[in-house]
Amino acid sequence: MRNLTLLFQSLFLTCLLAGQVYAQNYSISAEVNKTEMVVGSKVNLIVTIRGTQNSKPLQLPKIDNLVIQYVSPSRHVSVVNGQMSMSIAFNYQVQALKAGTYEIPPMSVVI
């Protein structure tokens, strides 16, 4: 099997600005567990929104020869010294059907 590369440039999060976003104590980040994989194997993609738990899963764009499947959300709430923080993480699996270099384009998030 041939290797392929998944380009993961700040995945997207254009949430009204480029890169990692801060607005009213919200922040958004995205990460993958690996950037190179074998055709047919899967990569985990996690998009985390901090400052809320009321967001819906992102609709990722269709990319030729790349299957992106939503798996599940995970929510986190903590209180430290009276300060509450919360976040929601959306978990996706990404699988390439063909060798190549793939890029997930910038997207917008509405909170």
Side-chain angles (χ1 to χ4, degrees):
M1 294 189 150
R2 294 176 51 198
N3 285 343
L4 60 104
T5 302
L6 176 67
L7 287 181
F8 182 70
Q9 54 168 303
S10 294
L11 172 60
F12 32 72
L13 303 170
T14 316
C15 182
L16 310 177
L17 295 173
Q20 192 171 27
V21 180
Y22 296 92
Q24 298 181 2
N25 296 322
Y26 297 122
S27 69
I28 300 172
S29 62
E31 61 186 72
V32 290
N33 63 333
K34 54 187 169 183
T35 57
E36 292 187 2
M37 60 186 174
V38 175
V39 172
S41 66
K42 295 180 180 178
V43 168
N44 295 321
L45 164 64
I46 300 172
V47 178
T48 303
I49 303 173
R50 290 173 189 78
T52 186
Q53 289 190 332
N54 296 322
S55 183
K56 294 180 181 177
L58 304 174
Q59 294 296 321
L60 301 180
K62 292 184 187 290
I63 300 171
D64 290 341
N65 299 309
L66 201 62
V67 176
I68 303 174
Q69 181 180 10
Y70 175 67
V71 177
S72 65
S74 63
R75 300 174 194 282
H76 178 78
V77 176
S78 68
V79 179
V80 177
N81 295 328
Q83 296 284 27
M84 181 169 37
S85 64
M86 62 183 77
S87 65
I88 185 166
F90 299 107
N91 302 294
Y92 300 85
Q93 285 190 334
V94 181
Q95 180 180 29
L97 303 176
K98 186 175 164 183
T101 299
Y102 298 89
E103 180 178 328
I104 299 173
M107 294 183 296
S108 296
V109 176
V110 177
I111 300 174

